[in-house]
Amino acid sequence: MTTEIVRTKELHKVYDQNGPRPYEALKGITFSVEQGEFVGIMGASGSGKTTLLNIMATLDQPTSGSVEIDGQDVTHLTANQMSDFRSEKLGFIFQDFNLLETLTARENIALPLSLQNKKPNQIKQAVDAAATKLGIAELLSQYPTQLSGGQKQRVAAARALVANPSIIFGDEPTGALDSTNARELLDTLTDINQQGVSILLVTHDPFSASFCKRILFIKDGRIGDEIDANGKSRNAFYQEILEKLGTFEQ
Amino acid sequence: MLFKISIAGVKSRWKDYVVLFSGMIITTAIFYMFEAISTNNKFTTSSPAGQNAKFVFIFGSILLAIITLVYVFYANNFLMSMRKHDYGLFMMLGAKSRVISKLIILETLVIGIMSTLIGIVVGIGFTQGLSSLLSHEIHVPLTNFSAFYLPAVWVTIILFFVLFVIAGLMNARTFMKTSALKLLRSNQQSDWQDPKKRTLIGQAILGLGLLAGGYYAMYDINQLKLLAIGIGLVTIVLGTYFVFNSFFVMILEMVQSSKSSMAGLNNFTIAQLKFRIRDYTKILSVVSLLFALALGAITVGIGFQRMVPMIANGNSAYAVGLTNPTRQMKSLVGDLDVSSQVTYQQKIDPAAKTVYYRASQLQQRPMKYAYFTNRSQLKSKVGTASLSQLKNPSSEAYDSLVNLQAPASRTFKIKLVSDTSFDQLHAKQNTLLLVRVKDMDAASNTLTKLTKLQSRQYGQSMTEMPGGGAFSTYQLLKGVFGSFEFMGIFLGIAFLAMLASCLMFKILSGAASDKVRFEMLNKIGARKSVLTHSILLQILGLFLLPAVLGIVDVAFGLQMFVKSHLLQGAYQTFGWSAVGFSLLYLIYYGITVLVYSKIVVPKTKVEK
Ligand SMILES: Nc1ncnc2c1ncn2[C@@H]1O[C@H](COP(=O)(O)OP(=O)(O)O)[C@@H](O)[C@H]1O
Ligand SMILES: [Mg+2]
């Protein structure tokens, strides 16, 4: 039996609802993500990807419809509840790693746990565990400037993982990276996913998308299509995505 | 096209521009106010306070111009930090960098000219307010003084125009040197590395040592004389720099290694503060030193002001002595808050150069006289003059009475005689009215009117101190110290306002790049209250540390004045001015926190 980690129902989002020019960015989005999946959401710029992700990640609220994460409806939380929910249940992969340069790798990874006011030795154990998973246990006392791009990426990934989130979100995480760094990040994410963590990426880049196991295409605020890797090689899947985009964008 | 985008860019951040603008306006206003007073020749030569002020004012003008320069530099940096993103966008859109450079210079100049003009108008208003404040509160009489003074307007316009041209050129230059992409993604990644323990400890000890040396030099001013000031300047400037660069960082590292640093955002807060202090070492040192200068100036200024009535009251128990007061004078005395008054009859024999009084009157209603119990601390007492004292020309009581005579008979002898001898004297009988007031500062305006009437009555010029008594001393000292007081208080407040806004703009300039960090923290689940708390602490650290060091500097620096007996009750004045000063400073802290939070704290989009 698989369990659903994310389930959205008829999500609508209207920007500027009471303004002069209301704009409907999401027009009824329904889908779900199973435990352990690696899902990509693709779409052209302006299609509503960020809007959708922000609503799922409790950074924004929908105009109507609902989002359940790990069985909990997150659309009616207060601001503080949203913050707490994020620190306990969600992980984020950012563009540019977004590590704090003034903190060591260990302190960076510990941040989500510190925010939950966990005990120091609990924090230490969890950080060590996440660092070991990503093979950066030796680097914990270094500052970000002392690390290579790939190492920084793994520190950032460890930070996303450390609080044992239900799911990890990323909004165009490779958007600002050169191809080597992008590749390394995607490999790291694949690694994490193979250890059983669910991941949802939003991207307009077919190469990044080809690392996912399932892809939802979004166009003008609606889900238009969906494809599944079904055990195909990454390269084959990449070709399929390109073909799909060719027809989908028409 | 670019111009339209430019306007739109300004509109979208108009609240930040309001802060920038008001800062500029206040700076211009302060500068104008100072110039209006110092370049106003009529004022500086005709009033007794003015003559002394002249040289002090030139010195103050130069100091003020220097800090204004520093101020415009920081305000301008803030302006650039707000516009960077737009300029990058223009470049991406294909605008030539030459065109954008022009735009930058134009924008800077427009903002500069607008704030200068508004600033001058505000300055004229301030000057009007200040001049009445000066004559009412600190009793420095300002004659021939007008708030609008054309030469001051010109000086202000020219100085600020030059400053803004320089600033515009500098902006254009920094822009030319940065690529479009960097402008767009201006989240400067800092390359922070923890400083080495050994260097930190070495520098901390050096810094504290230098400060201690400087403080000792000022304490030992009687031995070192002028050398004390030289030594103090060098060691304190260097010491302050090292203390910021290492001592404070070391303390923060100690806090960081404690257990509680792992809770919430404590670690982030301390680390950011540590980083900022090292990044801002120079400006923090400057702020701390200026804070000390400004606080010192105010303390010394107010100290002089407090000393004047103390000296005056030690010189005579009575504010004025009025010989044959007219009705008008009597009614003015009626307006005063008098603590006691007494009238004696006198007869003058000009040939014998003697003034005669009735012994019986002085016995029934004894005269009061003041004497210093401790001259260096300006402590004085009021005693009651006995007849034997008044008969002894070398007693303080006798001296006091002599000084209270009308100017024409102030060099005469005084004799107490029996009622019969008094009645037999062939001379006009005068009355001498002695008035003792509760508060010299409060009575100052009425007493000035009284002395004016007196000099008309005696047919003498103002400079001859018609009233005798404590108020003459008071007026004399006000003339000498008035300009010092004024300079100290004015420059103190002006410096504080400007240095606090320099710090404010420096911090706000970094806000754009801090935004990314706060967005990240928001995403990983930091509550808004936690973010705000962290901001409050970070900025508090940046404001508090220089202030604390500045206060310590002044606390030791005042030793110079105490040891050389220049200033009395310095520490009490210091306490009060430090409190008032800190309150003003707190306002800047509050504004900085508000604006900074508005820029960096992500808005939570809860609609329901
Ligand atoms: N805060 C907002 N206010 C108004 N319109 C918005 C806002 N954010 C996004 N939009 C609009 O919603 C649409 C979808 O935006 P977004 O979700 O950012 O797309 P994507 O991430 O796929 O590029 C765009 O047309 C965008 O202009
Ligand atoms: Mg987007």
Side-chain angles (χ1 to χ4, degrees):
Chain A
M1 249 299 277
T2 50
T3 43
E4 282 176 352
I5 283 293
V6 178
R7 184 217 286 277
T8 73
K9 249 193 234 154
E10 273 303 303
L11 276 184
H12 285 262
K13 176 70 183 181
V14 183
Y15 284 116
D16 255 336
Q17 195 167 22
N18 305 312
R21 273 168 298 167
Y23 180 82
E24 189 169 19
L26 300 182
K27 301 168 179 164
I29 292 209
T30 305
F31 73 95
S32 51
V33 178
E34 307 281 316
Q35 162 74 50
E37 269 199 298
F38 189 165
V39 175
I41 293 182
M42 281 199 82
S45 178
S47 54
K49 304 183 296 291
T50 299
T51 307
L52 175 60
L53 187 97
N54 283 350
I55 292 175
M56 289 192 287
T58 70
L59 294 165
D60 197 354
Q61 293 193 325
T63 311
S64 69
S66 69
V67 178
E68 268 178 34
I69 291 182
D70 215 2
Q72 186 178 355
D73 186 345
V74 299
T75 42
H76 295 97
L77 302 177
T78 64
N80 279 343
Q81 287 170 332
M82 278 158 65
S83 296
D84 295 349
F85 184 84
R86 290 199 292 278
S87 80
E88 284 158 23
K89 293 288 170 73
L90 307 182
F92 283 91
I93 297 285
F94 299 91
Q95 280 193 6
D96 263 357
F97 335 122
N98 225 328
L99 297 175
L100 298 173
E101 305 89 335
T102 48
L103 297 181
T104 59
R106 172 182 291 284
E107 290 161 341
N108 265 292
I109 299 173
L111 271 175
L113 299 173
S114 298
L115 285 172
Q116 295 175 32
N117 287 321
K118 289 270 194 308
K119 297 213 172 63
N121 54 344
Q122 258 179 311
I123 295 181
K124 189 176 180 314
Q125 279 175 12
V127 173
D128 286 336
T132 312
K133 244 186 225 171
L134 289 158
I136 46 166
E138 283 79 50
L139 306 174
L140 287 178
S141 57
Q142 313 265 41
Y143 283 89
T145 29
Q146 299 165 297
L147 302 176
S148 72
Q151 289 170 332
K152 278 191 229 178
Q153 224 129 54
R154 269 174 279 147
V155 173
R159 180 180 62 195
L161 269 184
V162 74
N164 275 324
S166 307
I167 187 165
I168 291 181
F169 287 120
D171 188 352
E172 318 253 12
T174 57
L177 300 180
D178 59 45
S179 58
T180 328
N181 273 314
R183 173 85 203 217
E184 270 192 69
L185 171 62
L186 292 163
D187 283 337
T188 311
L189 290 179
T190 310
D191 243 25
I192 296 176
N193 176 245
Q194 275 160 5
Q195 299 185 30
V197 183
S198 323
I199 300 179
L200 190 147
L201 282 195
V202 145
T203 183
H204 67 267
D205 166 37
F207 178 74
S208 301
S210 70
F211 284 76
C212 303
K213 297 291 168 296
R214 181 159 70 100
I215 295 172
L216 303 168
F217 291 90
I218 177 171
K219 189 180 177 186
D220 298 333
R222 288 196 175 87
I223 292 185
D225 211 342
E226 181 179 333
I227 54 174
D228 207 300
N230 271 335
K232 288 185 208 95
S233 77
R234 207 187 51 70
N235 230 327
F237 194 39
Y238 180 58
Q239 293 305 325
E240 194 181 339
I241 296 170
L242 288 181
E243 275 167 40
K244 199 84 217 169
L245 281 179
T247 53
F248 187 66
E249 297 292 323
Q250 305 307 308
Chain B
M1 175 61 188
L2 283 185
F3 188 69
K4 264 191 189 157
I5 303 180
S6 195
I7 297 273
V10 173
K11 257 190 196 158
S12 67
R13 307 196 56 175
W14 71 273
K15 274 190 191 152
D16 301 329
Y17 276 89
V18 166
V19 173
L20 180 77
F21 237 24
S22 20
M24 295 283 203
I25 288 171
I26 290 180
T27 311
T28 320
I30 289 175
F31 191 83
Y32 171 80
M33 189 155 61
F34 196 78
E35 286 307 303
I37 296 169
S38 66
T39 56
N40 200 326
N41 267 318
K42 269 188 282 164
F43 159 64
T44 41
T45 46
S46 68
S47 84
Q51 281 144 10
N52 289 294
K54 193 110 206 204
F55 143 83
V56 193
F57 276 137
I58 293 172
F59 179 65
S61 263
I62 295 170
L63 277 182
L64 202 57
I66 292 173
I67 183 155
T68 308
L69 182 88
V70 176
Y71 175 82
V72 169
F73 173 77
Y74 280 112
N76 202 48
N77 260 356
F78 175 55
L79 177 72
M80 259 312 255
S81 81
M82 289 198 294
R83 304 289 293 135
K84 248 190 214 154
H85 189 269
D86 282 357
Y87 295 147
L89 204 66
F90 296 165
M91 289 265 277
M92 292 303 240
L93 290 175
K96 289 209 180 65
S97 61
R98 190 177 287 263
V99 177
I100 300 180
S101 298
K102 268 190 204 152
L103 194 71
I104 293 176
I105 297 177
L106 196 75
E107 274 186 23
T108 317
L109 275 184
V110 166
I111 288 182
I113 291 171
M114 269 164 61
S115 58
T116 305
L117 293 182
I118 301 175
I120 289 176
V121 175
V122 175
I124 293 174
F126 275 9
T127 313
Q128 190 64 54
L130 182 81
S131 57
S132 51
L133 186 89
L134 276 181
S135 46
H136 287 118
E137 292 301 316
I138 62 177
H139 316 291
V140 178
L142 300 180
T143 31
N144 291 329
F145 180 75
S146 72
F148 176 80
Y149 187 61
L150 199 61
V153 172
W154 281 119
V155 170
T156 312
I157 288 182
I158 290 168
L159 178 88
F160 278 85
F161 186 75
V162 170
L163 285 183
F164 278 107
V165 169
I166 295 173
L169 289 175
M170 262 166 43
N171 280 350
R173 219 177 75 99
T174 20
F175 160 76
M176 297 279 249
K177 284 201 304 199
T178 11
S179 70
L181 226 88
K182 256 199 185 149
L183 287 169
L184 274 174
R185 305 205 278 117
S186 57
N187 48 325
Q188 313 131 352
Q189 302 279 330
S190 67
D191 38 3
W192 169 262
Q193 286 195 355
D194 242 15
K196 295 229 161 46
K197 275 264 145 38
R198 217 180 299 156
T199 342
L200 266 189
I201 295 175
Q203 283 195 359
I205 294 174
L206 182 65
L208 291 178
L210 282 168
L211 280 187
Y215 294 155
Y216 181 77
M218 295 193 292
Y219 175 80
D220 202 21
I221 187 150
N222 286 336
Q223 295 278 318
L224 295 168
K225 301 266 180 316
L226 265 185
L227 197 59
I229 297 173
I231 295 178
L233 268 180
V234 174
T235 53
I236 290 176
V237 168
L238 288 176
T240 305
Y241 180 85
F242 286 126
V243 163
F244 274 112
N245 207 36
S246 53
F247 178 66
F248 287 138
V249 176
M250 219 168 79
I251 288 187
L252 285 172
E253 292 207 329
M254 270 147 68
V255 179
Q256 206 174 12
S257 62
S258 77
K259 279 243 164 69
S260 62
S261 77
M262 271 305 199
L265 282 182
N266 287 355
N267 213 337
F268 165 72
T269 309
I270 302 166
Q272 281 299 105
L273 190 54
K274 210 167 72 178
F275 164 69
R276 285 277 174 265
I277 290 179
R278 273 186 86 87
D279 195 27
Y280 292 6
T281 300
K282 281 194 205 105
I283 176 167
L284 290 177
S285 307
V286 170
V287 165
S288 155
L289 292 170
L290 284 182
F291 190 96
L293 266 184
L295 179 59
I298 287 203
T299 304
V300 172
I302 295 178
F304 277 135
Q305 188 200 340
R306 281 170 39 102
M307 271 167 64
V308 170
M310 285 163 90
I311 299 175
N313 287 330
N315 270 341
S316 174
Y318 297 99
V320 280
L322 303 165
T323 310
N324 298 331
T326 61
R327 188 170 302 146
Q328 198 184 358
M329 285 156 91
K330 278 183 189 152
S331 93
L332 279 174
V333 171
D335 293 343
L336 286 171
D337 193 4
V338 168
S339 70
S340 70
Q341 56 180 327
V342 62
T343 314
Y344 303 112
Q345 293 170 345
Q346 57 159 230
K347 283 183 181 171
I348 298 175
D349 179 356
K353 294 201 163 189
T354 306
V355 186
Y356 297 93
Y357 282 93
R358 286 179 194 269
S360 61
Q361 278 188 347
L362 281 154
Q363 178 134 44
Q364 275 167 16
R365 293 173 262 143
M367 189 192 87
K368 292 188 169 70
Y369 73 101
Y371 59 98
F372 282 109
T373 52
N374 182 336
R375 213 167 252 283
S376 64
Q377 284 176 31
L378 297 183
K379 285 203 179 110
S380 59
K381 273 204 171 134
V382 173
T384 311
S386 64
L387 289 188
S388 60
Q389 277 175 316
L390 290 172
K391 283 174 181 163
N392 173 11
S394 57
S395 78
E396 301 216 29
Y398 180 89
D399 246 13
S400 299
L401 185 55
V402 168
N403 281 326
L404 287 162
Q405 306 304 306
S409 50
R410 209 167 283 159
T411 51
F412 294 3
K413 279 179 294 196
I414 286 176
K415 270 199 177 143
L416 307 193
V417 292
S418 69
D419 287 347
T420 24
S421 324
F422 189 86
D423 291 336
Q424 282 166 4
L425 285 168
H426 289 285
K428 184 183 152 235
Q429 179 173 306
N430 301 319
T431 56
L432 175 69
L433 171 61
L434 300 182
V435 183
R436 186 170 155 74
V437 296
K438 286 196 181 122
D439 178 352
M440 189 80 74
D441 286 326
S444 153
N445 281 337
T446 316
L447 287 174
T448 309
K449 283 183 205 150
L450 261 180
T451 37
K452 274 189 188 144
L453 289 176
Q454 268 190 306
S455 43
R456 215 177 303 152
Q457 180 191 21
Y458 301 147
Q460 270 159 339
S461 72
M462 274 290 285
T463 45
E464 278 183 68
M465 296 184 259
F471 188 64
S472 317
T473 319
Y474 180 89
Q475 272 187 314
L476 185 78
L477 292 178
K478 276 286 168 182
V480 178
F481 289 137
S483 51
F484 284 111
E485 266 178 64
F486 172 71
M487 280 285 296
I489 296 170
F490 186 98
L491 280 188
I493 293 173
F495 268 47
L496 176 73
M498 288 207 229
L499 71 90
S501 15
C502 283
L503 189 54
M504 176 174 88
F505 284 126
K506 175 77 185 170
I507 295 172
L508 293 183
S509 305
S513 55
D514 288 341
K515 205 176 164 161
V516 201
R517 300 186 179 92
F518 282 90
E519 252 158 26
M520 185 274 286
L521 291 170
N522 174 52
K523 282 191 180 165
I524 68 171
R527 289 179 173 200
K528 206 170 171 179
S529 54
V530 174
L531 293 179
T532 312
H533 183 72
S534 172
I535 291 173
L536 278 172
L537 285 179
Q538 282 181 40
I539 299 182
L540 182 67
L542 294 178
F543 269 83
L544 194 65
L545 295 178
V548 167
L549 199 54
I551 288 177
V552 174
D553 283 348
V554 179
F556 282 100
L558 283 180
Q559 282 297 318
M560 286 197 300
F561 293 88
V562 172
K563 290 277 165 202
S564 54
H565 300 292
L566 264 175
L567 205 60
Q568 292 314 318
Y571 283 94
Q572 199 186 343
T573 317
F574 167 62
W576 286 113
S577 27
V579 170
F581 215 58
S582 307
L583 282 180
L584 264 176
Y585 191 70
L586 261 182
I587 295 175
Y588 278 92
Y589 166 67
I591 297 175
T592 312
V593 168
L594 283 181
V595 179
Y596 185 87
S597 307
K598 208 184 70 63
I599 297 176
V600 301
V601 175
K603 321 237 171 330
T604 9
K605 303 162 189 162
V606 182
E607 286 165 0
K608 290 157 194 171

